[in-house]
């Protein structure tokens, strides 16, 4: 990108330049675009008495001229201010100071523009009008933005954004505020935030009946920053495509200069010069000196690049004249003075806040002293009753000793009762297991009976084969008899283990740990619980399964105690799936799974631990009883089923 294009695509005088803006931010002006309207207002001034109506006409003319003929606007504003000061009308003073602030900014005299904006703010704070304070913050931000101090501009415009939520009346077009925020972020090179706010302003303008070209200009600048020159050119042309008020000439100037910069970048020098001249002609026909300077500088560079030295020299001279009027030392000094006064004002506010804070601290200290003195008084008074209270406490202590002795005796009795209740619970669970145990014993007994009958038949066949002399067949039959005897022995031992488990469950725990096969224990109680429930309710049916860690060795536990825990968990799991089966429609399949995991095979378990999991797909534990599940005798089951 060439030096010319870069300079004129990024370094514009960034001020709001249209009657739309002036009406949006709170001025009571309704400006038309016809010069005859301004003539009629000037004629009206000669006939009006010196009252508020005449001030409003001055304000109307100031608003009409401020963005295109700022010198005329300043003249009318000064007359209006003199009359407003005489009549002591603060709101008119605020509006006139605000409007003339824009006029000075358009002339490039940012220091005076800032000074008038601060004068308007002083009046607004004096009358404590939040609406006008918000309006003045906008104008102060515009003046700082025009002077190149975008960080301060952003500060004041954010104050506006925050205060709008608390205003019952605003009068501010949201397009304006969104653009001002986007403009400051753009100049601070925070382009994501700039696009966020500028896009909001642009979207709002698309659906509005009153066209405002400024959002289009900055959408073009953002596109140009990304190197999207064709898209940027489209935005720039859109900004000047509609008819807007002829008093908003600055918007046309900026649009023409932006187009000239893009075309210069695309090496279309003739077209670029054409649009640059259009910008210069409009600026030169008004009193917008800052734009005349920018346009003449752009034309100088364009003619120089196009080797038209005479024309370049001509605009060089015009540029020097404009520069002298814009950037003299007095204005820079005045700008520094206004900025210093603003900082002094902020420091004064800070000092006032600190004074109030210190005052609050003093009041807090006094309150604390009063509280302390009150406490001391109460302590002194209480000490007078100390002896009497001591004697009373001695008597109460004797009574408490007697009550303590009675409470200890009651606690002993309660513990005995609790032990009896626990034993009763064990016996109750034993009763529930009876049907399941009978079913489990029946299976091995059936095997014993069946294999015994088979052995009887095989012995008869053995005698027959021996009598025939077929000893090979006799040996085979004898082998079958031996295998059947082994099976009979296995199932007999299984029945014996079931009976022993039942007896252990019914007896009180011995408290002695012994090596126990946890997998076998879990499998046994899973089947006992299932068949016990089936015996009580033959309509119940559920799937159950196991996932045992085969590497698990025997574990030193008290089998009666751990068995009762496992049994209760499994019984509760089956109860949960029974309840859900009753509540659910077709398609639900109850399922209970018992899993054992040794720490050597599970990274999540601690060393030397065995994890037993009982899982069901029932309704689960309600959240409101989660904290009660370890309370003794607590149950969610109906009375008699707990």
């Amino acid at each position: 990108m060439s030096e010319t294009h870069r300079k004129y695509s990024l370094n514009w005088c960034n001020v709001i330049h249209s009657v739309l803006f002036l009406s949006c931010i709170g001025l009571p002006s309704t400006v038309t675009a016809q010069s005859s309207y301004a003539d009629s207002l000037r004629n009206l001034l000669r006939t009006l008495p010196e009252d508020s109506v005449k001030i409003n006409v001055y304000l109307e003319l100031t608003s009409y001229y401020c963005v295109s003929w700022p010198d005329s606007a300043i003249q009318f504003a000064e007359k209006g201010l003199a009359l407003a000061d005489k009549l002591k009308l603060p709101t008119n003073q605020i509006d006139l100071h605000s409007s003339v602030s824009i006029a000075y900014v358009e002339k490039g005299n940012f220091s005076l523009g800032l000074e008038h904006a601060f004068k308007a703010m002083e009046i607004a704070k004096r009358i404590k009008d939040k609406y006008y304070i918000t309006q003045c913050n906008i104008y102060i931000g515009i003046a700082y933005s025009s002077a190149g101090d975008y960080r301060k501009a952003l500060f004041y415009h954010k104050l506006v954004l925050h205060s709008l939520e608390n205003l019952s009346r605003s009068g501010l077009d949201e397009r304006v505020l969104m653009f001002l925020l986007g403009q400051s972020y753009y100049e601070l090179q925070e382009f994501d935030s700039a696009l966020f706010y500028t896009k909001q302003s642009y979207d709002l303008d698309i659906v509005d009946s009153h066209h405002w070209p400024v959002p289009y200009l900055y959408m073009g600048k953002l596109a140009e920053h990304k190197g999207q020159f064709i898209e940027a050119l489209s935005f720039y042309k859109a900004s000047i495509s509609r008819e807007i008020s002829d008093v908003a000439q600055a918007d046309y100037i900026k649009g023409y200069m932006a187009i000239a910069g893009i075309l210069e970048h695309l090496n279309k020098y003739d077209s670029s010069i054409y649009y640059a001249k259009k910008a210069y002609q409009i600026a030169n026909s008004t009193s917008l000196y800052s734009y005349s300077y920018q346009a003449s500088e752009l034309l100088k560079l364009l003619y120089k690049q196009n080797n038209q030295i005479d024309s370049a020299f001509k605009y060089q001279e015009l540029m020097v004249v404009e520069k002298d009027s814009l950037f003299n030392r007095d204005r820079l000094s005045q700008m520094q003075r206004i900025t210093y006064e603003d900082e002094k004002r902020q420091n004064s506010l800070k000092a006032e806040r600190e004074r109030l804070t210190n005052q609050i601290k003093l009041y807090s200290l006094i309150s604390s002293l009063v509280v302390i003195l009150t406490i001391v008084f109460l302590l002194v008074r209480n000490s007078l009753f100390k002896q009497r209270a001591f004697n009373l406490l001695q008597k109460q202590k004797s009574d408490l000793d007697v009550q303590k002795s009675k409470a200890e005796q009651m606690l002993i009795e309660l513990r005995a009762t609790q032990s009896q209740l626990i034993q009763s619970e064990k016996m109750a669970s034993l009763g529930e297991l009876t049907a399941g145990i009978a079913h489990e014993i029946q299976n091995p007994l059936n095997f014993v009976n069946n294999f015994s009958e088979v052995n009887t038949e095989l012995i008869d066949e053995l005698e027959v084969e021996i009598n025939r002399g077929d000893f090979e067949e006799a040996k085979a039959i004898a082998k079958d008899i031996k295998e059947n005897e082994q099976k009979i022995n296995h199932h007999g031992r299984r029945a014996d283990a079931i009976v022993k488990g039942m007896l252990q469950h019914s007896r009180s725990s011995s408290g002695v740990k012994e090596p126990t096969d946890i997998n076998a224990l879990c499998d046994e109680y899973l089947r006992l619980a299932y068949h016990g429930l089936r015996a009580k309710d033959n309509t119940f049916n559920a799937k159950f399964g196991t996932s045992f860690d085969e590497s698990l060795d025997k574990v030193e536990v008290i089998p009666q105690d751990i068995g009762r825990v496992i049994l209760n968990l499994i019984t509760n799991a089956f109860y949960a799936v029974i309840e859900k089966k009753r509540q659910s429609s077709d398609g639900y399949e109850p399922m209970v799974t018992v899993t054992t995991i040794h720490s050597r095979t599970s990274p999540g378990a601690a060393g030397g631990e065995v994890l037993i999991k009982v899982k069901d797909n029932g309704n689960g534990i309600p959240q409101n009883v989660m904290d009660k599940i370890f309370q003794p005798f607590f149950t969610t089951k109906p009375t008699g089923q707990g």
Side-chain angles (χ1 to χ4, degrees), residues 20 172-179 197-212 215-216 242:
L20 171 64
L172 172 65
D173 190 321
E174 193 176 351
R175 287 177 295 177
V176 176
L177 182 58
M178 294 302 105
F179 164 74
Y197 287 108
T198 306
K199 182 66 165 58
Q200 291 188 60
S201 180
Y202 171 78
D203 291 340
L204 289 169
D205 188 78
I206 290 176
V207 298
D208 199 281
S209 59
H210 299 287
H211 174 55
W212 187 35
Y216 297 81
R242 299 193 203 174

Side-chain angles (χ1 to χ4, degrees), residues 319-381:
M319 184 185 72
V320 170
V321 174
E322 300 293 347
K323 184 176 182 180
D324 289 340
S325 64
L326 285 173
F327 304 104
N328 57 64
R329 293 183 179 179
D330 292 338
R331 286 181 179 169
L332 292 176
S333 175
Q334 192 176 13
M335 185 64 182
Q336 291 173 354
R337 178 178 61 81
I338 298 301
T339 302
Y340 171 76
E341 289 177 356
D342 179 37
E343 292 175 353
K344 186 169 67 175
R345 187 182 295 104
Q346 296 296 336
N347 291 334
S348 176
L349 292 174
K350 183 179 179 181
E352 179 65 17
R353 285 196 297 269
E354 290 177 353
R355 187 187 67 79
L356 291 174
T357 302
N358 293 333
Q359 192 173 15
I360 291 171
K361 289 180 179 178
L362 178 61
Y363 291 153
S364 300
L365 179 60
I366 294 173
S367 300
S368 300
L369 288 174
V370 171
V371 171
I372 292 172
L373 291 174
T374 304
I375 293 172
V376 170
F377 169 75
L378 293 174
L379 290 174
V380 171
R381 188 186 66 173

